[in-house]
Amino acid sequence: MSEPVLELRNVTKRFGSVTAADAITLSVNQGEFFALLGPSGSGKTTMLRIIAGLEVPDEGGVFINGQDVTALPPYARGVGMVFQNFLLFPHKRVGENVVFPLRMQGASKAEQDERLKWALDLLRLDGLADRYPHQLSGGQQQRVALARGLISRPALLLLDEPLANLDRELRKEMEVEVRRYQVELDIPFIYVTHNQEEALTMSDRIAVMNHGRFEQVAPKLEVYTHPTSRFVAGFVGHSNVMTGTLAAIEGGCASLDWNGVTVAVRTPPGASVGDRVDCFVKLEKMRVVAPGGAAQGENRVPGTLRDIIFKGSTADYLVTLENGAELMISEGSETMGFQRKDPLEVVWSAEAGACFPAGGA
Amino acid sequence: MAAGSRVAVAAYKGGSGLLLTLLYLFLYAPIVYVIYTSFNKDLIWPFPPDFTLDAYFKLADSSTYHEALWNSVLLGLGSAILCTVVATMGSMSILKYRSRWRGLIAVIYLCPLFVADLLVGISSLLFNRQVLGLPGNMGSAMIANAVHGTSFAFLIMIAQMARYDWRLDDAAMVFGAKPLRCFWEVTLPIIWPAMLGAFIISFILAFNNLEISFYNLGAIPTLPTIAWGSLRFGLGAELFALAALVNGVVLVTFTIMYLLMRYRIVSFGHRD
Amino acid sequence: MARRRLGPEGRFLLMALPGAIFVVVFLLLPILSIIVFSFWRTESYTLIPDWNLDNYATLFGTTTYMTFLLRSFTMAVAVSLASLVYAWPVAYFIAKHGDRYRLLLILALAAPFFTGIILRVTGIQGVMGPVGVINLGLMNYGLQPIEFIMYTQTAVGIGVTYLFIPFMVTAVYLSLLNFDFELLEVAKINGAKPWRAFIEITWPLNWMGTVIGLVLVFIPSMAESITPRFLGGPNAASFGQVLGLQFGETGTWALGSAMGVLLFAVSSLVILLMWRTVNLQRSGFTGGGS
């Protein structure tokens, strides 16, 4: 396999008593769309700034195409970056903003013109080259920022929540666009976001960050379906959480006493009988059925339909169980003809649950 | 990293810090000299030191200097109040509203910056005397000083308030605050450091202005005009003593401000 | 009951006009009046409306007046440039590293104005005059005194810089206060070395503030009348000094008015030339407001 484009080795960064990056090791390959996902304050922007050279790590090294760039200032690293609030130069026209990186590299005028045309075409900015940034709409400013990030064919492009300031419609549109550019250029994008939908839509691989550490680094599908930590299970996707005590363990299968309801779960690694456990099941992994069917190796819990939240192609069913707990189930909106207060049963497979030792609260 | 680049950053920071320190030294050395001299017998040739408090006793006895000090303070306060009010209204209107007159109004407010003190002084003297038929008095001196100070105050306020988010005012109005109430409850608490800065600067400018005041005060003495008048007989010892005392007050004020900032009691508009 | 509400235009004028009228009446009308008086003549301390060009003929026809004007102009240019070079790093330091003490650091530059100009210039004389602290100190150690700071144009230049450099620092500082330092990071990521980023980003975006600073130093330096009298040699008289004389000893107000008009014209021309280098679009000035 070819050499990774970006490698972080044991990168650590502290701000006073806060550890923003805790011995982070990572490699990103050619053509990969890599998302850094985490809540605000998790250290993901610090990660990006370390890669860009805007912060110097306290320990560890940053390698781009095998070269140690830890000691290099940002302007010698040859990376592109797109910022959350665009940060276009207000005194330069669109064209001047976009060719800025090329001018800094000392590219010839002819090459600047050619690349500029290419970038404006790619980002559909034709005809705007002579405008000033403040004369553009938010979406256009974002495209200019992207054009500036891409024009010099950087080794990799860093994106710091670039869509956070756009409205929902535009964001949806840009998500597809950004992915398109990445596929077209075949360079790695490192995309920082706190929005899991963005990460899931665009990326190939996701690193979920929390308190300066990677909780899980894996292809997005795996992060979604097989979270490896309690934090990831809670942060990615929408899940029902069942907290209870392990009543029995039989090999890979265990039974969980969840406030009087017994449910079958996968045995969390290293757990023993009597442990407090959180079990996460994604909303769409559960189904609602009419009561009375036979259990077929699945969990089957009776309850009462409290409400249906219509969402278009899907609907969320709120079900109150006999133990007083409430579950939310995501189903196709046209399923069945349940009414409020109907008795029904919630069904899910033991395999669908991800269990971890219970969190503090 | 970039050990080299870190060294460069440190060198730049240290270097410019040193320049700042040297500037303060340059600015305050003559003032230290004045204060030092105020404690000396010989004002013209205060070396080697021959300490005495004579200047201060003379000052305590001199009603002329008391009057001059009082007039200076009065002139400073009156002018600073005028400046601050006018500049607050002007800067707020320019930053808040998108009028087609904005450019013109801004230029008018900035005009006085481009006219030297001396010109303001002689032109208002001639205008008052010839056109309005007014003799020199405190009022016209106050106004002439205020005209000049207004653009400084305006500039300071514009620069400090440029980032104020006027949507806050909209929010206050939506929640039922009338314009004045809105100013009092929302705008003022945010812009007061800018107003204070404008007030202090315009006070300083008027308090010690010579060239505007000299031509517009008539026979009313202030500290700078009295200094100017006493030049041909040699500066009075009282002047040195007064300057030393004024600087003492400034020093105390600054120390208090420093302590307030140091212990974060008042931030004076600084956002961490 | 429904009182018609003022539109934004109306509210703008309501707030902005009083101050504008104040400036027009008390600054522009007086200036206008000296322009008029400059075409009159004075007889025994009275202005006589007898329209003529004699005052200007005298001004332009007398070599000494032109020498004074040129001397003041050169002085003002030199002082402005010196202030510019010195003030930039200082203002940058305060804006970048002043932290929460920034306001205090700036006020400390303004505080010397509390001591009147005459005492301050006396103080400068005491520090660097022929028998001032510096030269006495040097001679005390058997060294040569520094001659170029004794009653020379250089001495006047240092004195005038001393008086007005705080304006320059403050103007650049206020400009930097509204400068988005993050833009420098963007420039660096895009390959600009620090000095290149300064030239491409910091300098043009703060050029308007710099121009204001230059003007703030140039205008009073050009009109300065006190400093040359104390620190200059016998041939150091400035235009402002001579202008002041017309309103004091000689009482030739019409000629004084003409000198005032000339001073105003030269200053305005310089401001105009400076202002033409400011491109509002290129200054990053987006208008603000709502």
Side-chain angles (χ1 to χ4, degrees), chain B residues 12 19-20 24 26-28 45 93 95-96 98-99 101-102 109 114 126 129 159 204 208 211 247 261-262 264, chain C residues 9 16 19 86 90 92 100 105 108 113-116 131 136 162 178 215 225 253 257 271 287-290:
Chain B
Y12 138 74
L19 285 181
L20 178 65
Y24 285 131
F26 178 50
L27 287 177
Y28 284 95
W45 183 232
S93 62
L95 290 174
K96 192 170 176 179
R98 231 177 227 296
S99 161
W101 301 108
R102 249 172 24 148
Y109 273 91
F114 306 142
L126 289 185
R129 188 182 303 204
I204 294 179
N208 253 307
E211 290 176 315
N247 278 293
M261 289 171 171
R262 173 78 184 72
R264 296 174 195 269
Chain C
E9 195 83 12
Y86 201 100
V90 168
Y92 198 90
R100 63 193 129 120
L105 289 173
F113 286 90
F114 265 117
T115 309
V131 287
L136 273 184
Y162 171 83
N178 290 307
V215 169
S225 63
W253 296 346
S257 296
I271 292 164
S290 53

Side-chain angles (χ1 to χ4, degrees), chain A residues 184-243:
Chain A
E184 207 157 302
L185 297 170
D186 200 37
I187 58 170
F189 278 26
I190 298 184
Y191 191 102
V192 158
T193 181
H194 66 271
N195 181 327
Q196 51 164 311
E197 269 175 57
E198 271 177 32
L200 292 168
T201 311
M202 291 187 274
S203 64
D204 300 313
R205 232 164 21 121
I206 296 179
V208 182
M209 259 193 113
N210 189 31
H211 296 310
R213 286 175 202 227
F214 285 163
E215 294 273 346
Q216 183 172 9
V217 187
K220 63 179 166 190
L221 203 62
E222 200 180 320
V223 169
Y224 190 79
T225 52
H226 292 102
T228 54
S229 79
R230 191 184 173 278
F231 177 81
V232 177
F235 191 73
V236 179
H238 301 281
S239 298
N240 288 298
V241 190
M242 293 168 276
T243 306

Side-chain angles (χ1 to χ4, degrees), chain C residues 243-255:
Chain C
L243 170 53
L245 284 181
Q246 314 305 319
F247 291 86
E249 279 98 278
T250 60
T252 40
W253 296 346
L255 181 62

